Amino acid sequence: MTLEARRIDDLFPREHLQPPGAEGRTVRIVAGGEAAVPDIPRGSWQRVFPLQHERQLIRARHSIYRAGDILEGIPVVHSGWAARIRRLSDGRRQILSFILPGDLVSAGAVFSDRLSFFVDAITDVRTTVCKRVPLDEILAQSPRLLHALMAGCLAEKTEVEELATDLGRRRAEERIARLFLQLRTRLEVLGQVSGMSFDMPLRQQHIADATGMTVIHVGRVLGALRNDGVVQINGGVLTIADLAALQRLSDA
Amino acid sequence: MTLEARRIDDLFPREHLQPPGAEGRTVRIVAGGEAAVPDIPRGSWQRVFPLQHERQLIRARHSIYRAGDILEGIPVVHSGWAARIRRLSDGRRQILSFILPGDLVSAGAVFSDRLSFFVDAITDVRTTVCKRVPLDEILAQSPRLLHALMAGCLAEKTEVEELATDLGRRRAEERIARLFLQLRTRLEVLGQVSGMSFDMPLRQQHIADATGMTVIHVGRVLGALRNDGVVQINGGVLTIADLAALQRLSDA
DNA sequence: CGTGGAGTTGACTGGTATCAATCCTTGTGG
DNA sequence: CCACAAGGATTGATACCAGTCAACTCCACG
């Protein structure tokens, strides 16, 4: 009963998502680094949520959705990175979460069609949209799936609560360290981490908007981390040089 | 379909909650200052969620629940103020939300029994606990209620996202102004605002933990607001002296 | 080549945190 | 009824983290 759905891996072909050979075609249920619970029967997602329309391409740095938009379906990011963002009228931005390949844009989208945030493409992004289905129909067809979806929704909420704690009570270095470790964990599940490095298309501005800092200060902290031999970013690749140190920073 | 349940007003007798005469005994659905949608048939909450045990008294400044606790039911705060809190190992604390009389401790508690946060009593608090009921049973007995509960859960998530934005991107004065306005809106629904004043049992430490500041700086900002004739707190009563100014501060 | 996005660096400012002392309030027990 | 303790609020002095402004470099790209 602790299923949590944020990623629906068998929602679409896995060219980018899965190393060949891994053919366990169950819905993979993953949340914030916790245990995967692969016991939803194969294909339950597609059976319950039929495809509404195929892939759509959004160019890097463009908005995918805007706050107030009414979703006609449940969007899933197929490839590329995106971000859920809140904007203030004077231009300040807070990134609420990063959306990686295979993620639902928001678990809440299964149950509600009104967005309270913006979704911006960071890299080029391909999306798929599935049909939203009434609650009772989901329940009838796959009770486990419904549970998993609701748990995913709760997990998303918990993650935002962690974010709020980071923003309110942790300092610059800690926040950046935690962001990097979180990204590594999530990308590891996707098989996109090789050793201590992974592709990281975020600009310093994205890191700043996610951690509640200014770009310039992000630059300084990153510089310090590089000098101290903890983390470095080179050509869009993040390399953790001293994992223990990074974990120490993110602790408490 | 935009029902949102966070407060279940007819869950218990209303001595403290409702001025006599207001006898519209429907479940009142309220969220973050948005429209109430009172169209759930009377008593649906009690029918679906039977009382598990009666009021329990928790003394001010004591913990009600701890992160990791397994809830045996769905707790509702009957009287008094409480707070949902995240703690770091070194003692830093972030308040995620305040729980006012009539609030569910967390809308998520209807669907999941594991807490990821602490719940502390700010004043003396009385709680009631209802039995948790399987999804399909709720759906069968009152589909509207289920929708309302899920919407309430999503609303709670949206509120935390707003909090994260406040913490990440707004400054001290803005955050405090927004907190006070939010409290006023919520208390107004409870009929606990008279003119421009309301009881506000929060200590400066609570305000600090909610806004991500230190007590001392909270004290300074409050002092400034008092000197500028915007807000003052006296003997546990908050009085808004200049609403327009307060709204200006909280804007953007 | 230019142009614009991105990163780096330095000097300076300012908002908050930290430490410490005092005072006020409230509750408690003698 | 008083004394005392504990919690809370206020104030001052000082330190430091992070924001602001500005200049410069480095690219990728057309």
Side-chain angles (χ1 to χ4, degrees):
Chain A
M1 205 58 71
T2 47
L3 300 184
E4 293 175 349
R6 187 175 61 194
R7 307 181 28 72
I8 307 296
D9 281 7
D10 67 347
L11 177 55
F12 36 72
R14 310 197 178 189
E15 315 98 88
H16 297 108
L17 298 181
Q18 187 157 315
E23 270 302 321
R25 291 305 237 128
T26 57
V27 174
R28 249 208 277 160
I29 306 298
V30 178
E34 296 190 11
V37 184
D39 56 357
I40 292 182
R42 163 184 178 168
S44 61
W45 173 271
Q46 294 97 320
R47 207 178 55 241
V48 179
F49 297 95
L51 198 66
Q52 188 158 85
H53 54 258
E54 267 298 346
R55 308 182 186 177
Q56 199 163 341
L57 175 67
I58 297 96
R59 287 256 164 241
R61 263 170 275 119
H62 288 73
S63 271
I64 308 180
Y65 296 107
R66 302 165 176 286
D69 277 2
I70 306 291
L71 294 177
E72 2 75 273
I74 305 167
V76 179
V77 167
H78 176 274
S79 70
W81 289 37
R84 296 196 304 125
I85 300 183
R86 267 192 162 257
R87 294 178 198 280
L88 305 188
S89 55
D90 61 358
R92 290 177 285 184
R93 300 154 32 104
Q94 176 64 48
I95 291 183
L96 302 171
S97 69
F98 293 108
I99 303 171
L100 304 187
D103 288 341
L104 295 173
V105 155
S106 161
V110 178
F111 309 112
S112 161
D113 60 355
R114 181 170 273 109
L115 286 188
S116 58
F117 45 78
F118 292 72
V119 180
D120 284 8
I122 293 174
T123 64
D124 287 356
V125 161
R126 283 179 194 283
T127 65
T128 309
V129 176
C130 297
K131 226 174 116 183
R132 190 178 298 101
V133 160
L135 273 189
D136 47 357
E137 234 173 272
I138 309 176
L139 184 64
Q141 296 203 32
S142 175
R144 301 198 79 93
L145 183 59
L146 180 60
H147 274 279
L149 290 169
M150 303 226 356
C153 200
L154 293 179
E156 219 177 87
K157 187 183 151 215
T158 303
E159 274 170 38
V160 182
E161 290 174 348
E162 263 168 44
L163 175 66
T165 309
D166 286 357
L167 294 171
R169 287 309 187 195
R170 290 187 207 267
R171 45 192 56 194
E173 251 189 352
E174 285 180 88
R175 284 181 250 173
I176 289 188
R178 291 173 61 82
L179 174 61
F180 288 167
L181 287 174
Q182 193 205 336
L183 287 176
R184 193 177 83 110
T185 305
R186 292 177 62 186
L187 288 168
E188 211 158 36
V189 175
L190 299 184
Q192 294 187 358
V193 176
S194 54
M196 280 299 166
S197 298
F198 53 87
D199 278 1
M200 217 273 303
L202 303 183
R203 308 287 115 199
Q204 293 190 352
Q205 182 64 60
H206 295 125
I207 299 175
D209 287 335
T211 55
M213 312 166 53
T214 56
V215 208
I216 301 210
H217 196 56
V218 168
R220 271 196 269 269
V221 173
L222 289 182
L225 290 176
R226 189 189 324 117
N227 286 337
D228 295 351
V230 181
V231 185
Q232 57 184 14
I233 302 176
N234 255 320
V237 175
L238 185 148
T239 304
I240 300 177
D242 187 344
L243 181 60
L246 195 61
Q247 286 168 332
R248 222 174 308 120
L249 283 178
S250 77
D251 240 7
Chain B
M1 205 60 70
T2 48
L3 299 184
E4 292 174 349
R6 188 175 60 195
R7 305 181 29 71
I8 307 296
D9 280 6
D10 68 347
L11 178 55
F12 36 71
R14 310 198 177 189
E15 317 95 90
H16 297 109
L17 299 180
Q18 188 159 317
E23 271 302 322
R25 291 304 237 131
T26 56
V27 174
R28 248 206 277 162
I29 305 299
V30 178
E34 295 190 11
V37 185
D39 56 359
I40 292 182
R42 164 185 178 165
S44 60
W45 172 272
Q46 293 98 320
R47 207 179 52 243
V48 179
F49 298 95
L51 198 65
Q52 188 157 84
H53 53 256
E54 267 298 347
R55 309 179 185 179
Q56 199 163 345
L57 174 66
I58 298 96
R59 288 255 162 242
R61 263 170 276 121
H62 288 73
S63 271
I64 307 180
Y65 296 107
R66 302 166 177 285
D69 277 3
I70 305 292
L71 295 177
E72 2 75 274
I74 305 167
V76 179
V77 168
H78 176 274
S79 70
W81 289 37
R84 296 196 303 124
I85 300 183
R86 266 191 162 259
R87 294 177 198 279
L88 305 189
S89 54
D90 61 358
R92 290 177 286 184
R93 302 153 31 105
Q94 176 66 48
I95 291 183
L96 302 171
S97 70
F98 293 108
I99 304 171
L100 305 187
D103 288 341
L104 295 173
V105 156
S106 162
V110 177
F111 308 112
S112 161
D113 60 354
R114 183 172 271 105
L115 286 188
S116 58
F117 45 78
F118 291 73
V119 180
D120 284 9
I122 293 174
T123 64
D124 287 356
V125 162
R126 281 177 194 287
T127 65
T128 309
V129 176
C130 297
K131 227 174 114 185
R132 190 179 298 101
V133 160
L135 272 190
D136 48 357
E137 232 171 273
I138 309 176
L139 184 64
Q141 296 202 31
S142 175
R144 303 198 79 92
L145 183 59
L146 180 59
H147 274 279
L149 289 169
M150 305 226 356
C153 199
L154 293 179
E156 218 176 85
K157 187 183 152 216
T158 303
E159 272 169 39
V160 183
E161 289 174 349
E162 262 167 45
L163 174 66
T165 309
D166 286 357
L167 293 171
R169 287 310 189 196
R170 292 188 207 266
R171 44 190 54 193
E173 251 189 352
E174 284 180 88
R175 284 181 252 173
I176 289 188
R178 291 173 61 82
L179 173 61
F180 288 167
L181 288 174
Q182 193 206 335
L183 287 176
R184 193 177 82 111
T185 304
R186 291 177 62 186
L187 288 168
E188 211 158 35
V189 175
L190 300 184
Q192 294 188 358
V193 176
S194 53
M196 279 301 165
S197 299
F198 54 87
D199 279 1
M200 216 274 302
L202 303 183
R203 309 284 116 198
Q204 292 191 352
Q205 183 64 59
H206 296 123
I207 299 175
D209 287 334
T211 55
M213 312 165 51
T214 56
V215 210
I216 301 209
H217 195 57
V218 168
R220 274 195 257 273
V221 172
L222 289 182
L225 290 177
R226 189 189 324 116
N227 286 337
D228 296 351
V230 181
V231 185
Q232 58 184 12
I233 302 176
N234 254 319
V237 175
L238 185 149
T239 304
I240 300 178
D242 186 342
L243 181 60
L246 195 61
Q247 287 168 331
R248 224 176 304 122
L249 283 178
S250 77
D251 242 7

